[in-house]
Amino acid sequence: MKIKELKLEDLHLEEFIEDKIEEITAIVGSGSAINALSGGVDSSTVTMLSHRALEDRLKTYFIDNGLMRQAEPERIVGLFGELGIPVEIVDAQKLFFDALKGITDPEAKREAITQTFYKAVFGRLVKASDAKYLLQGTNYTDVEETVAGIKRQHNILAQLGIDTEEAYGYMVIEPLIQLRKPAIRAVAHALGLPEEIYKRPPFPGPALAARVIGEVTPERVELVRKATRIVEEELQRTGAFQYLAILHEDRVIGMREGKRDYGMQIEVRCWESEDAITGAPTRLPYEVLERLADRITTEVPGVVSVTYNITKKPPSTIEAV
Amino acid sequence: MKIKELKLEDLHLEEFIEDKIEEITAIVGSGSAINALSGGVDSSTVTMLSHRALEDRLKTYFIDNGLMRQAEPERIVGLFGELGIPVEIVDAQKLFFDALKGITDPEAKREAITQTFYKAVFGRLVKASDAKYLLQGTNYTDVEETVAGIKRQHNILAQLGIDTEEAYGYMVIEPLIQLRKPAIRAVAHALGLPEEIYKRPPFPGPALAARVIGEVTPERVELVRKATRIVEEELQRTGAFQYLAILHEDRVIGMREGKRDYGMQIEVRCWESEDAITGAPTRLPYEVLERLADRITTEVPGVVSVTYNITKKPPSTIEAV
């Protein structure tokens, strides 16, 4: 089956939403469905659509992998609670950190997180539940990237550790598969999701693990989490495409109270981009850069140096890991 | 003996120069003397003063440690040649790189370079020569730092591997010991040294080894040498106190010709400072930062990312290693 893109300009929002609700209702029938919410715009939109179709026959999980931003699990679950959608938090922090132990290669990190999410955590939840229907926020860009061989999202059942025999009866529903991000944001808005969801800047799948160069430990994630909060507080008003803090593994010499302090470095990136395919560093005023450096070296323990990325994409990429 | 500072405002340049020439002439008498020239303002000034006092009874060596900037040995030796002062280049690159092999700790790097310079290279030249007089560019800041326990420059004979018994008869002459940098620059100017010497920005003792995070190999020094040339070309017109390129050990993801390229990162620092005790990053225009990033990622093989330091000293230091 060839999937055809549905462009933002051709999208009738109310019609699209009604169609998808009908479709999900028709497929699931009197059964029950399951999905994982990350708080990103795709999974949030799927959760809203599916809940409107299935109500209490939908079971939504928020997997806390320990790699989220500060207070993110509670914030997302609270926000959906206000919308009348119950979400269960699954504390899987130890499983993820165990899987990440000793890994420094970026690809190996991403693979460890993917495997842990699908096989060790969500796969078990699916198998333990009565639900035979999985709702998934796959979008048109994911489809294109699968064709281009960049990502491997096409066989979700295999990723969940459900092989074809066992899998008999399971069905994956992907209501957003014809849409790209701008169209999904429009649907999210029309569904009544709050601005912090439908305008949310892109955030990587591996979450803060993508912001740590070298080994990902709870302690190092906590440092980059603190720096991320400062960067988001200081830069959200810029309207930039994306802004991030990266904890480096290299140590540099610094000074604290007149003494040599062999400390850590945080790199800040802030991007102007339309589509993440190309990008340029935002020309932030020096007052902003200096305040970032002051706050990060004061508020994040052990950090003595802060740099700002000045390289375009390409040859840089948005994220460093 | 307590050394007393001679301040720039109290310095009678011609009188000081004549006094020092007389002093060196009187001490060395009909003997011969030896010194090492690095091209920095201190050793250049000592070389000029000593040559005026001793002429062909002075033997000046330029130790090529393989850690110099591009074409620096030839440039410095050529420049002194034009002033009528012969300088012999000693190729000691292999000795220094052997000593640096496998070392990543900044202090251990500095120690390896100091030991190699004094014991393995210059110490042997001194012992092999007839000269019993060493001329040394020790300045007043070095004296202060020795008192404060920051550096250990006071016992040069011990550093040269000349113990007290063997050392009988050796004498160290330090004509600049009462002067700080601004006064030495004035003396250098009055002696007729060219602007590129007397206005030369500070450059660290361990040279480009101080600009490499992680192991110092000929290949990695060559990369930071290329980046240093670009940074110096682009930033010398700023009149900043100091500007430098640092090769990081951390790798970051980049893109070349549409493909993932796990590459290297260069950090640029440019400092406003009076005295190197405190400092602030220069507020370089973004056009300059972007040109630096473009040139470095284009001209230095394997570099996909360039950052700019935005942290004050303290808590940063001028150099990272």
Side-chain angles (χ1 to χ4, degrees):
Chain A
M1 186 187 72
K2 177 118 176 68
I3 295 153
K4 197 168 159 291
E5 183 184 356
L6 186 50
K7 295 198 173 178
L8 178 56
E9 57 266 34
D10 302 325
L11 189 65
H12 302 281
L13 285 170
E14 291 310 318
E15 200 182 304
F16 176 85
I17 290 169
E18 289 315 313
D19 283 356
K20 288 299 160 187
I21 290 173
E22 269 180 43
E23 199 178 303
I24 296 166
T25 310
I27 295 170
V28 179
S30 60
S32 61
I34 189 169
N35 82 313
L37 169 68
S38 71
V41 65
D42 300 350
S43 70
S44 295
T45 304
V46 166
T47 302
M48 277 295 272
L49 276 175
S50 310
H51 188 260
R52 293 226 341 224
L54 306 172
E55 298 195 340
D56 61 2
R57 284 175 296 130
L58 175 71
K59 179 76 187 168
T60 299
Y61 290 103
F62 185 100
I63 313 293
D64 183 357
N65 55 16
L67 306 169
M68 303 282 172
R69 284 171 291 189
Q70 194 161 305
E72 198 160 21
E74 300 75 18
R75 195 174 53 77
I76 300 292
V77 171
L79 190 151
F80 276 83
E82 281 172 32
L83 296 166
I85 303 178
V87 178
E88 187 175 328
I89 296 185
V90 179
D91 182 353
Q93 301 192 34
K94 194 180 173 319
L95 282 172
F96 281 89
F97 283 119
D98 284 351
L100 286 163
K101 202 165 241 168
I103 298 178
T104 57
D105 178 74
E107 284 303 306
K109 263 183 214 176
R110 286 174 184 265
E111 187 61 21
I113 291 168
T114 304
Q115 290 298 326
T116 305
F117 178 84
Y118 284 111
K119 296 249 164 77
V121 185
F122 193 54
R124 284 188 198 170
L125 290 172
V126 171
K127 287 190 227 167
S129 84
D130 297 332
K132 291 284 180 234
Y133 300 92
L134 314 180
L135 283 139
Q136 178 83 356
T138 321
N139 64 38
Y140 192 73
T141 312
D142 297 330
V143 174
E144 279 190 323
E145 288 180 344
T146 302
V147 173
I150 298 174
K151 287 185 186 171
R152 302 166 299 113
Q153 298 213 347
H154 53 293
N155 196 343
I156 176 159
L157 289 175
Q159 284 187 319
L160 289 170
I162 296 170
D163 70 28
T164 37
E165 280 183 293
E166 265 185 40
Y168 190 76
Y170 280 103
M171 185 168 176
V172 180
I173 309 173
E174 296 169 314
L176 309 180
I177 203 157
Q178 291 180 275
L179 309 183
R180 286 183 199 271
K181 217 68 159 191
I184 297 172
R185 291 187 193 280
V187 173
H189 187 194
L191 280 165
L193 280 161
E195 188 170 315
E196 66 176 294
I197 297 287
Y198 71 77
K199 281 201 176 166
R200 189 172 126 129
F203 192 66
L208 295 176
R211 305 285 170 78
V212 171
I213 296 179
E215 191 182 3
V216 180
T217 65
E219 297 72 27
R220 304 193 76 217
V221 168
E222 185 54 30
L223 294 176
V224 86
R225 180 179 286 129
K226 285 196 164 80
T228 299
R229 185 176 46 76
I230 295 167
V231 167
E232 293 189 346
E233 279 172 14
E234 296 292 337
L235 300 185
Q236 66 193 3
R237 77 201 76 165
T238 61
F241 178 77
Q242 202 169 343
Y243 28 82
L244 49 128
I246 299 158
L247 176 64
H248 280 240
E249 189 171 23
D250 284 343
R251 296 211 151 211
V252 294
I253 295 180
M255 289 186 85
R256 292 280 182 194
E257 289 152 23
K259 284 201 191 100
R260 183 176 176 282
D261 181 6
Y262 196 34
M264 281 173 287
Q265 188 176 65
I266 290 279
E267 176 185 346
V268 175
R269 296 184 178 189
C270 184
W271 292 102
E272 299 301 309
S273 176
E274 291 297 322
D275 50 14
I277 294 167
T278 62
T282 306
R283 293 180 164 199
L284 293 175
Y286 274 95
E287 291 74 17
V288 173
L289 294 176
E290 289 159 11
R291 190 167 55 242
L292 279 169
D294 283 347
R295 285 196 61 190
I296 293 171
T297 55
T298 307
E299 299 174 31
V300 186
V303 174
V304 296
S305 173
V306 181
T307 62
Y308 184 59
N309 169 57
I310 57 172
T311 322
K312 296 190 307 278
K313 173 178 180 179
S316 180
T317 45
I318 303 280
E319 305 278 347
V321 172
Chain B
M1 185 187 73
K2 176 117 176 70
I3 296 152
K4 196 167 161 291
E5 184 185 356
L6 186 51
K7 294 198 171 178
L8 178 57
E9 57 266 34
D10 302 325
L11 189 65
H12 302 281
L13 285 170
E14 290 311 318
E15 200 182 304
F16 176 85
I17 290 169
E18 288 316 313
D19 283 356
K20 288 298 160 186
I21 290 173
E22 269 179 42
E23 200 178 300
I24 296 167
T25 309
I27 296 170
V28 179
S30 61
S32 61
I34 188 169
N35 82 314
L37 169 69
S38 71
V41 64
D42 300 350
S43 71
S44 295
T45 303
V46 166
T47 302
M48 276 295 272
L49 276 175
S50 310
H51 188 261
R52 294 229 336 227
L54 306 173
E55 297 194 341
D56 62 2
R57 285 174 297 130
L58 175 73
K59 179 74 186 169
T60 299
Y61 290 103
F62 185 100
I63 314 295
D64 183 357
N65 55 17
L67 306 170
M68 304 284 173
R69 286 172 288 190
Q70 193 160 307
E72 198 161 21
E74 301 73 18
R75 195 174 53 77
I76 300 291
V77 171
L79 190 153
F80 277 83
E82 281 174 30
L83 295 165
I85 303 178
V87 178
E88 187 174 327
I89 296 185
V90 179
D91 182 353
Q93 300 191 35
K94 196 182 171 322
L95 282 172
F96 281 89
F97 282 118
D98 283 351
L100 285 163
K101 201 166 242 166
I103 297 179
T104 57
D105 178 74
E107 284 303 306
K109 264 184 213 175
R110 286 174 183 265
E111 187 62 21
I113 291 167
T114 303
Q115 291 297 327
T116 306
F117 179 84
Y118 284 111
K119 296 248 163 78
V121 185
F122 193 54
R124 283 187 199 171
L125 291 172
V126 171
K127 287 189 224 166
S129 84
D130 297 333
K132 292 285 181 236
Y133 300 92
L134 315 180
L135 284 139
Q136 178 84 354
T138 321
N139 64 38
Y140 193 73
T141 312
D142 297 330
V143 174
E144 279 190 324
E145 288 180 344
T146 301
V147 173
I150 299 174
K151 287 185 186 173
R152 303 166 299 113
Q153 298 212 347
H154 53 295
N155 196 343
I156 176 162
L157 289 175
Q159 284 187 318
L160 289 170
I162 296 170
D163 71 28
T164 37
E165 280 182 291
E166 266 186 36
Y168 191 74
Y170 279 104
M171 184 165 177
V172 179
I173 310 174
E174 295 170 315
L176 308 180
I177 204 158
Q178 291 181 274
L179 309 184
R180 285 183 200 272
K181 217 68 160 192
I184 298 172
R185 291 189 193 280
V187 172
H189 186 195
L191 280 165
L193 280 161
E195 188 170 316
E196 66 175 293
I197 297 287
Y198 71 76
K199 280 202 176 164
R200 190 173 124 130
F203 193 65
L208 295 177
R211 306 284 171 76
V212 172
I213 295 179
E215 190 181 5
V216 180
T217 64
E219 296 72 27
R220 303 194 76 218
V221 168
E222 185 53 29
L223 294 177
V224 85
R225 179 179 286 127
K226 285 196 164 80
T228 300
R229 183 176 49 73
I230 295 167
V231 167
E232 293 188 346
E233 279 172 15
E234 296 293 337
L235 300 185
Q236 66 193 2
R237 78 201 74 167
T238 60
F241 178 76
Q242 203 169 343
Y243 28 84
L244 49 129
I246 300 158
L247 176 64
H248 279 240
E249 190 171 22
D250 284 343
R251 297 210 150 212
V252 292
I253 294 179
M255 289 187 84
R256 294 279 182 195
E257 288 153 22
K259 283 202 191 99
R260 184 176 175 282
D261 181 5
Y262 197 33
M264 280 174 287
Q265 187 176 66
I266 290 280
E267 176 185 346
V268 175
R269 296 184 178 191
C270 184
W271 292 102
E272 299 301 309
S273 175
E274 291 296 323
D275 49 16
I277 294 167
T278 62
T282 306
R283 293 180 164 200
L284 293 175
Y286 274 95
E287 291 75 15
V288 174
L289 294 176
E290 290 159 11
R291 191 166 55 242
L292 279 169
D294 282 348
R295 286 197 59 191
I296 293 171
T297 54
T298 308
E299 298 174 32
V300 186
V303 174
V304 296
S305 172
V306 181
T307 62
Y308 185 60
N309 169 58
I310 57 172
T311 323
K312 295 190 309 277
K313 173 180 178 178
S316 180
T317 45
I318 302 281
E319 304 278 349
V321 172

